Amino acid sequence: MRVSAFVACAVACVLASAVIVVTAQERGIGLDKLRSGSTYMGADLRAMQADEFANTGMLWVERGAKLWNARAGSAAKSCSECHGDARTSMKGVATRYPAWDKGAGRLLDLEGRINQCRTSRQGAAPLAFESEELLGLTAFVATQSRGMPIKVSIDGPAAAHFERGRALHQRRIGQMNLACTQCHNDNVGARLLAENISQGHPNAWPGYRLEWQSAGSLQRRLRACYSGVRAELPPYNSADLLDLSLYLAWRAEGLPIESPGIRR
Amino acid sequence: MKNLPRSLPFSSRRRALLAGAAAAPLLPFHARAQDNPEVQAYKAFVGARAVRTERLVLDIPRIADNGNVVPVRIAMPGPFLPGAEVKSIHLFSEKNPVPQMAVFYFPLPLARVEVESRVRLAGTQRVAAVATMADGSLYSAMADIVVTVSACIDGT
Amino acid sequence: MADARIQVPAQIRRGDTFEVKILIRHGMETGYRLTDDGKQIPRNVIRLVTCRYNGTEVFRIEPSSGIAANPLFTFFVTARDSGELVFEWVDDAGERASERAAVTVAG
């Protein structure tokens, strides 16, 4: 009796530890080794990003600030009427996105959350991805968390999205048959032509990309990576891009929001 | 091409490169990776006039992360004698399809002549700046920039 | 539609030279880019920027497609009276825009 109880206990312990190993969040890059993409840029671009006036992304932040105060939709309400001064009410918000939204019943990134407000509270049409307005509002909200560490929740309904995002990050895609991990985990710091491969974090977005000569969202930047490995671009707001965004935010835990970032 | 120390207190991030237009043909062949570059638009602008190569500062990174946006600063240190103030500064490119990148005009005499902007550069090349003074004299400065291209094709 | 930011120091003394900065939202379309179906996107760059200080032109720029999109221009001005700086610019398509900033000069 005692032996079988002991064995049962031992088996239970082994199973429990096996379960712990399986659900352990193994990080391809340890939290203490995280480096923002800005550390892979030249000094000129880092200075441009830090320049509160001349950071080109600020043109979109200013547009967002104007939109924050503008009445919109059938409800004729502005963001400010509910949320007041964004410097207070939006402080820290961007660090928590993407997030599972109970009201919407789905995973939302910051753009999605803004559009959720527009449709459900303002009675306004959602703003198109990469539109001046959505970029402006998202950049304006995100920059209220500038310097604050990313910390997203992957609990509850978000867990399934997180797992899916992680699988996507590790999956080979495209004509080049490359997974994100192969550049951004395994070959960080290596050269791709004249560029240094970064760890591929989302903390600069929305930001100004010199290659685009425009501001853009994280989703656009991810689509650019799909393009880079010659894979089909997932549509904006697709499950793939959202799940990947959540996984990337978890992977970047502790890195400061840099929006509006400057990137090549 | 030698890296000279910054002559002005800002932009610790960049290096000022000064090279005389007259000196360029005298540089040894291996001083540049490419053949002796000529900024044709600069030569056409200057024509047969004398050009001084000291004084004008052209501050531009040696390596540009992206050719779409390359920060540039041009400064003409004073003091300026009456009748010898800066009237304009031309900025020329060796390889851009439109070689004259910009002209900066100074309708009033200024105590401090210093401008900043961001240029587009179509590949690794030489850039030339020329300041025209009120008395017609010219000052120039040149810089070579390596322009790196994006590693991955961005189809967005 | 005017979309630009201007920076002028908050405190300026008469006779000082002060730095002025302007950042303009403009694509500065070079005319060399193609759409996805191969059509050339027509050139449209800002071709003239002027700055007037209390009505007197103090700075002028003639950019070309060689100036980056969303251009930044900075320069110095000698402080005289309080008043305003008025920037005006026009692009190849003929669109005109302007932006102004107050200048407060002490002394």
Side-chain angles (χ1 to χ4, degrees):
Chain A
M1 271 297 139
R2 210 189 277 173
V3 170
S4 61
F6 173 77
V7 167
C9 202
V11 167
C13 281
V14 167
L15 282 175
S17 56
V19 165
I20 289 167
V21 164
V22 158
T23 60
Q25 259 96 65
E26 279 187 26
R27 291 178 173 273
I29 302 175
L31 285 176
D32 56 334
K33 295 204 168 47
L34 291 179
R35 276 178 59 184
S36 170
S38 53
T39 64
Y40 295 91
M41 300 191 308
D44 279 298
L45 294 193
R46 284 202 300 277
M48 201 183 288
Q49 180 174 288
D51 191 326
E52 277 192 32
F53 174 79
N55 176 328
T56 322
M58 288 304 293
L59 287 170
W60 279 264
V61 169
E62 279 204 348
R63 180 184 286 264
K66 289 197 187 98
L67 288 168
W68 180 264
N69 293 314
R71 294 218 158 118
S74 55
K77 272 184 135 106
S78 67
C79 314
S80 55
E81 281 177 61
C82 288
H83 296 289
D85 189 341
R87 283 172 301 185
T88 326
S89 61
M90 294 296 114
K91 191 173 165 74
V93 168
T95 65
R96 304 192 283 272
Y97 276 85
W100 174 264
D101 191 282
K102 220 158 71 166
R106 60 185 198 274
L107 183 71
L108 293 176
D109 57 7
L110 198 54
E111 287 88 347
R113 177 65 244 183
I114 288 169
N115 270 334
Q116 172 72 6
C117 260
R118 278 185 64 89
T119 52
S120 65
R121 308 230 194 281
Q122 291 176 299
L127 297 166
F129 253 91
E130 308 321 292
S131 63
E132 295 282 283
E133 293 88 355
L134 187 58
L135 282 172
L137 271 173
T138 314
F140 176 66
V141 172
T143 206
Q144 306 310 322
S145 299
R146 204 174 214 225
M148 296 177 67
I150 294 176
K151 181 90 170 87
V152 294
S153 163
I154 58 169
D155 298 328
H161 293 279
F162 165 77
E163 289 300 340
R164 206 172 161 273
R166 172 154 63 178
L168 286 166
H169 198 253
Q170 295 168 347
R171 195 183 83 196
R172 287 176 181 267
I173 53 168
Q175 287 179 333
M176 293 190 188
N177 202 31
L178 284 171
C180 314
T181 47
Q182 289 172 285
C183 280
H184 296 297
N185 281 9
D186 305 340
N187 280 291
V188 169
R191 275 217 193 278
L192 214 54
L193 285 190
E195 291 181 356
N196 282 320
I197 299 175
S198 75
Q199 295 180 351
H201 292 301
N203 59 319
W205 308 101
Y208 191 83
R209 189 167 192 222
L210 304 197
E211 188 68 24
W212 299 328
Q213 304 185 76
S214 174
S217 64
L218 172 64
Q219 289 202 24
R220 181 176 180 183
R221 186 60 192 88
L222 295 177
R223 278 161 56 94
C225 265
Y226 277 80
S227 168
V229 299
R230 315 312 279 147
E232 252 190 66
L233 274 55
Y236 282 107
N237 266 337
S238 56
D240 279 8
L241 288 181
L242 282 167
D243 292 345
L244 195 49
S245 298
L246 176 64
Y247 173 72
L248 289 175
W250 169 85
R251 183 172 171 273
E253 181 180 310
L255 280 182
I257 298 272
E258 287 175 11
S259 197
I262 299 279
R263 291 291 188 271
R264 284 179 304 220
Chain B
M1 190 95 25
K2 266 175 29 180
N3 289 342
L4 297 176
R6 303 173 266 114
S7 49
L8 291 164
F10 326 87
S11 65
S12 55
R13 57 195 184 267
R14 305 191 202 135
R15 300 196 188 105
L17 299 176
L18 296 173
L26 302 175
L27 286 172
F29 180 77
H30 57 266
R32 264 177 63 96
Q34 295 154 256
D35 293 326
N36 192 25
E38 292 193 326
V39 186
Q40 292 295 346
Y42 161 83
K43 288 179 71 174
F45 176 78
V46 167
R49 298 179 285 174
V51 185
R52 309 252 260 286
T53 59
E54 76 287 358
R55 202 173 168 197
L56 186 66
V57 175
L58 173 58
D59 197 4
I60 197 164
R62 262 223 311 191
I63 300 174
D65 275 326
N66 189 294
N68 283 332
V69 182
V70 184
V72 63
R73 183 176 67 99
I74 313 165
M76 185 72 169
F80 303 103
L81 296 172
E85 306 94 354
V86 182
K87 295 307 293 174
S88 66
I89 296 178
H90 285 68
L91 192 57
F92 295 110
S93 141
E94 176 202 345
K95 291 198 177 144
N96 281 3
V98 177
Q100 182 175 288
M101 292 195 280
V103 188
F104 304 91
Y105 293 95
F106 307 91
L108 293 182
L110 287 173
R112 184 157 170 190
V113 176
E114 187 175 333
V115 299
E116 262 191 69
S117 189
R118 294 157 180 170
V119 292
R120 286 189 176 110
L121 293 177
T124 294
Q125 61 182 291
R126 175 166 289 183
V127 164
V130 193
T132 305
M133 315 301 274
D135 60 6
S137 55
L138 303 178
Y139 291 82
S140 78
M142 304 215 180
D144 292 332
I145 306 104
V146 171
V147 176
T148 59
V149 289
S150 184
C152 302
I153 298 171
D154 186 333
T156 64
Chain C
M1 156 187 157
D3 217 333
R5 6 172 47 202
I6 300 172
Q7 185 180 80
V8 172
Q11 287 172 336
I12 307 165
R13 275 179 336 178
R14 185 179 300 275
D16 279 356
T17 51
F18 62 96
E19 190 173 25
V20 178
K21 303 187 187 189
I22 184 167
L23 182 67
I24 305 175
R25 171 87 186 95
H26 194 284
M28 300 290 280
E29 194 57 61
T30 60
Y32 303 114
R33 295 204 307 163
L34 304 176
T35 61
D36 280 344
D37 34 357
K39 283 203 268 288
Q40 195 181 30
I41 303 171
R43 174 195 155 111
N44 186 20
V45 304
I46 295 174
R47 55 178 180 78
L48 180 64
V49 181
T50 59
C51 179
R52 290 193 149 73
Y53 177 17
N54 290 341
T56 306
E57 191 183 66
V58 290
F59 192 50
R60 191 162 86 247
I61 311 143
E62 286 173 6
S64 76
S65 50
I67 293 294
N70 305 302
L72 168 78
F73 298 110
T74 80
F75 56 99
F76 286 83
V77 175
T78 306
R80 291 187 183 82
D81 298 320
S82 292
E84 65 177 6
L85 290 170
V86 178
F87 282 88
E88 290 177 308
W89 57 96
V90 61
D91 64 19
D92 290 328
E95 280 249 353
R96 294 181 172 276
S98 73
E99 196 64 71
R100 49 191 67 210
V103 177
T104 310
V105 178

